[in-house]
Amino acid sequence: EKGNHRHFMQKEIFEQPIVVAQTLKSYLRRIDDCVSMPDMEFDLAGFDRVSIVACGTSSYVAMIGKYWIEKFARVPVETDVASEFRYRDPVLGKNQLAIFISQSGETADTLAALKHCKAAGLKTAGIINVPTSSMAREVDLLLPTHAGPEIGVASTKAFTCQLAVMAAFATRIARAKGVLSAAEEKDIVHHLSEAPEAMNFALGHDEDIEAMAHKIAEARDVLYLGRGPDYPMALEGALKLKEISYIHAEGYASGEMKHGPIALIDDHVPLIVIAPSGPLFDKTVSNMQEAQARGAQVVLISDADGIAKAGEGTIATIEMPKVHPLIAPLVYAIPVQLLAYHVAVAKGTDVDQPRNLAKSVTVE
Ligand code: F6R
């Protein structure tokens, strides 16, 4: 039931601190500050390549997972949308782990990719929300998310729970590979367990975001920019906005702006910039300022330091708490989701059942 919420999507956005905490609880062992995983019949140290395959919003978790696994475990990762994976006849090696991410566990393309990898003799792992689903039954290693049933067609809480599991898994692979010390693991566990509180704080901006949504709702096109893990977050922001508000939106890696999309910029195009302060911040801000010089209406999502440095000349800023880069995607997902939600409500669309979309895509 929706409780006091107007839509399931809104309820599911607000549930995130609780369901992410619930999910983390089954992967973080607080007695010794270790990541703990279900028993597995294979040794993670034996893999020297990882493939991650998923569709839609789940595929953005794959992309963020690539940053994390490569950074922490120093294992090369390739990511594919499932509908492309089989048809490019991927080179599959024995020492390759294949990870599949799905809320429903029934998405036809992802399930077919999973069967393809199994037939090729690969070990498979699945980050899956529905424990009784086809994919949950097929994978060698099931890493469940504990988001509970997701009713809104647009994925929200499943996404952040998938991120939580992916972060834990990246840490576990890094430990198995011997490239992460116990102290570093402890540090990661601490940061991850701070995520739900930071997400709660982010939810506190609901009303400010609602207030600015009316302006965005008038736009015909919206661009999202981010760098590093915030690039998949920009893709997610654009997908969420287009699917529920029907406004055309695109996400770009900040550095790609000048390779084409900047031609779209004029003073009617809102530009949503996702840029926590940190080593990548100045570069993203310089891309943002190039767009501002051409009239872009910038909404900057950053922390207090970032906003103090670059908030001038924007039409709005959304201030996130200052968080460790590892948990930033979990926290920054919230303003991105709330913005799409409030724009859709302002436009009067059917938020929980957007046109032409199904919750579970069981045909290719
Ligand atoms: C977007 C959305 C879809 C799904 C995609 C994959 O909000 O919900 O893009 O993420 O259809 O679905 P699952 O995760 O069930 O495989």
Side-chain angles (χ1 to χ4, degrees):
E1 255 320 295
K2 281 184 280 206
N4 354 332
H5 293 285
R6 196 163 154 199
H7 298 99
F8 281 107
M9 182 181 178
Q10 185 188 35
K11 169 176 176 268
E12 289 162 0
I13 290 172
F14 276 84
E15 263 170 20
Q16 289 178 107
I18 290 169
V19 294
V20 165
Q22 211 163 274
T23 299
L24 285 169
K25 208 171 147 197
S26 66
Y27 291 92
L28 306 184
R29 206 169 51 208
R30 291 314 305 270
I31 336 159
D32 52 0
D33 287 329
C34 278
V35 169
S36 75
M37 293 260 139
D39 288 339
M40 47 190 107
E41 48 169 89
F42 47 80
D43 180 8
L44 290 173
F47 297 111
D48 50 26
R49 259 178 78 195
V50 174
S51 282
I52 319 179
V53 180
C55 295
T57 288
S58 300
S59 79
Y60 304 139
V61 176
M63 290 172 74
I64 294 172
K66 175 182 166 76
Y67 288 96
W68 287 343
I69 295 171
E70 291 193 338
K71 182 178 166 62
F72 295 124
R74 306 306 299 158
V75 178
V77 178
E78 57 183 10
T79 64
D80 281 271
V81 289
S83 54
E84 289 295 321
F85 180 73
R86 274 179 308 151
Y87 303 114
R88 72 176 168 86
D89 194 12
V91 181
L92 302 174
K94 259 231 216 82
N95 298 332
Q96 183 174 359
L97 171 68
I99 306 175
F100 301 85
I101 308 174
S102 179
Q103 187 287 126
S104 62
E106 300 296 346
T107 301
D109 281 312
T110 312
L111 181 59
L114 164 57
K115 289 181 172 162
H116 181 85
C117 287
K118 281 187 81 176
L122 263 56
K123 292 290 179 221
T124 59
I127 300 177
I128 295 161
N129 196 45
V130 178
T132 52
S133 60
S134 307
M135 281 181 230
R137 287 194 304 266
E138 287 276 342
V139 286
D140 299 309
L141 174 64
L142 174 62
L143 302 175
T145 44
H146 301 292
E150 192 178 61
I151 310 291
V153 162
S155 185
T156 53
K157 62 177 182 169
F159 174 70
T160 44
C161 287
Q162 288 166 348
L163 286 171
V165 175
M166 182 55 91
F169 197 30
T171 309
R172 183 70 185 72
I173 298 171
R175 279 293 276 161
K177 282 276 174 191
V179 294
L180 193 79
S181 69
E184 286 168 318
E185 178 175 12
K186 198 170 177 164
D187 204 40
I188 289 177
V189 168
H190 279 169
H191 290 304
L192 280 175
S193 42
E194 284 162 5
E197 198 187 324
M199 294 170 83
N200 238 329
F201 189 92
L203 286 169
H205 287 285
D206 184 44
E207 282 178 15
D208 317 338
I209 295 173
E210 183 176 13
M212 76 179 70
H214 296 271
K215 221 176 285 174
I216 310 291
E218 292 160 11
R220 206 186 59 177
D221 309 285
V222 178
L223 296 182
Y224 287 75
L225 285 194
R227 194 179 274 269
D230 301 308
Y231 162 45
M233 196 56 72
L235 297 174
E236 167 63 359
L239 178 64
K240 213 95 296 173
L241 188 72
K242 72 184 106 172
E243 70 181 327
I244 61 170
S245 77
Y246 316 145
I247 295 174
H248 171 239
E250 300 290 342
Y252 282 99
S254 310
E256 277 292 292
M257 190 70 189
K258 54 165 110 8
H259 298 287
I262 200 163
L264 295 173
I265 296 287
D266 64 22
D267 51 13
H268 298 298
V269 180
L271 183 70
I272 317 294
V273 180
I274 305 165
S277 65
L280 305 177
F281 181 78
D282 290 340
K283 290 237 161 70
T284 298
V285 164
S286 102
N287 304 129
M288 171 186 120
Q289 285 164 345
E290 282 160 5
Q292 264 175 317
R294 288 157 182 86
Q297 306 285 300
V298 171
V299 175
L300 175 63
I301 311 179
S302 186
D303 47 37
D305 288 350
I307 289 170
K309 263 190 172 171
E312 217 178 284
T314 59
I315 58 162
T317 57
I318 307 174
E319 188 184 318
M320 294 293 100
K322 177 121 179 100
V323 293
H324 187 270
L326 176 65
I327 67 163
L330 288 116
V331 179
Y332 282 68
I334 288 185
V336 157
Q337 296 163 347
L338 284 173
L339 186 64
Y341 173 75
H342 286 300
V343 171
V345 170
K347 295 205 75 169
T349 58
D350 187 347
V351 172
D352 283 333
Q353 283 292 330
R355 67 186 182 201
N356 311 339
L357 289 171
K359 182 65 186 159
S360 184
V361 182
T362 52
V363 289
E364 281 194 35

